[in-house]
Amino acid sequence: MKTIRLFAQSLFVVLVVALASGCSHLKAVSVHTTALPDGQLLPHHIALVLDREFADYKHEYHEVGDTFIYPLGGPLQEYATQVAGKSFKQVEVVASLEKAAAMTSADIILIPHAIKSNVSIPVWDSQKETLTLVVSWTAKDRKTQNTVWLATITANGTESKSEVGYHNGGKLYQNVFDDLSLKTFKAFQEAPELRSSRP
């Protein structure tokens, strides 16, 4: 009897430790490029800075003691490259601000920064799950390093909780990147500071 009680106590301790520590789950994120409308090709040679922080950005959330990690760096880099390429006459990607500043052929340095992401998860499978992703964009005059334009883009994607679970979040992430791409493209097109050939 003493052995059974000791075994039960040990099992309880193991269960409590397992629940307390939780598990981390790394989830792949795959999205397709968003179809963007036609627009004006803005008259700048851009040095697009996609640094390590941007490339390594991850969306994380916690649920029932577990941590779910979604690496967004790849999709973010593709989004930034596509939207910039569709918006400006010439775009070259660099890995740092220092490399951008040394690029004498460029007139504008363009820097995206992933600020935050969060998700609201409903109780019932039939309800909508919402993902929010916030990215800021800074445009600097390459010669003076002065900021000539700054914008913060807040994108949202929604999908039913059951669909998110079944498809590993694929549709939800596609929805948020579609919204992000279209809003960013519109922000570029409507910025008077970026329409002139001189920053």
Side-chain angles (χ1 to χ4, degrees):
M1 185 64 100
K2 187 176 181 182
T3 305
I4 293 172
R5 190 172 2 161
L6 186 60
F7 175 75
Q9 288 173 341
S10 299
L11 189 61
F12 177 74
V13 169
V14 168
L15 183 60
V16 168
V17 169
L19 287 173
S21 60
C23 295
S24 291
H25 306 276
L26 187 66
K27 303 282 191 175
V29 177
S30 177
V31 296
H32 303 292
T33 34
T34 302
L36 296 173
D38 291 329
Q40 179 184 354
L41 207 56
L42 302 169
H44 295 289
H45 182 170
I46 298 294
L48 177 62
V49 180
L50 302 183
D51 60 17
R52 181 51 51 195
E53 182 183 356
F54 195 67
D56 289 344
Y57 185 80
K58 296 175 181 66
H59 167 64
E60 294 186 18
Y61 75 91
H62 308 281
E63 186 178 13
V64 197
D66 286 348
T67 300
F68 296 87
I69 303 168
Y70 292 82
L72 296 185
L76 280 168
Q77 290 179 93
E78 289 174 16
Y79 137 78
T81 303
Q82 185 217 6
V83 176
K86 183 81 174 178
S87 303
F88 298 96
K89 71 174 184 180
Q90 189 172 353
V91 176
E92 292 184 61
V93 176
V94 293
S96 69
L97 184 58
E98 292 75 22
K99 288 184 178 178
M103 188 181 293
T104 56
S105 58
D107 60 314
I108 293 281
I109 297 172
L110 197 57
I111 311 158
H113 176 66
I115 298 175
K116 67 175 181 177
S117 56
N118 56 58
V119 66
S120 64
I121 302 172
V123 175
W124 309 110
D125 281 354
S126 59
Q127 294 176 313
K128 295 286 187 181
E129 186 168 321
T130 301
L131 174 66
T132 300
L133 180 58
V134 182
V135 176
S136 71
W137 284 84
T138 304
K140 292 177 174 285
D141 177 272
R142 189 197 60 79
K143 289 181 181 177
T144 65
Q145 295 293 300
N146 292 332
T147 297
V148 295
W149 181 75
L150 180 65
T152 300
I153 312 295
T154 300
N156 297 291
T158 58
E159 190 58 65
S160 69
K161 183 180 178 183
S162 59
E163 281 291 315
V164 172
Y166 185 75
H167 293 285
N168 198 27
K171 289 184 178 179
L172 181 65
Y173 285 90
Q174 184 65 57
N175 290 343
V176 81
F177 272 94
D178 286 345
D179 192 43
L180 184 65
S181 297
L182 290 165
K183 284 179 176 175
T184 305
F185 180 74
K186 186 171 185 278
F188 286 160
Q189 291 291 310
E190 294 180 351
E193 300 90 339
L194 300 177
R195 288 180 175 276
S196 169
S197 59
R198 300 181 67 179

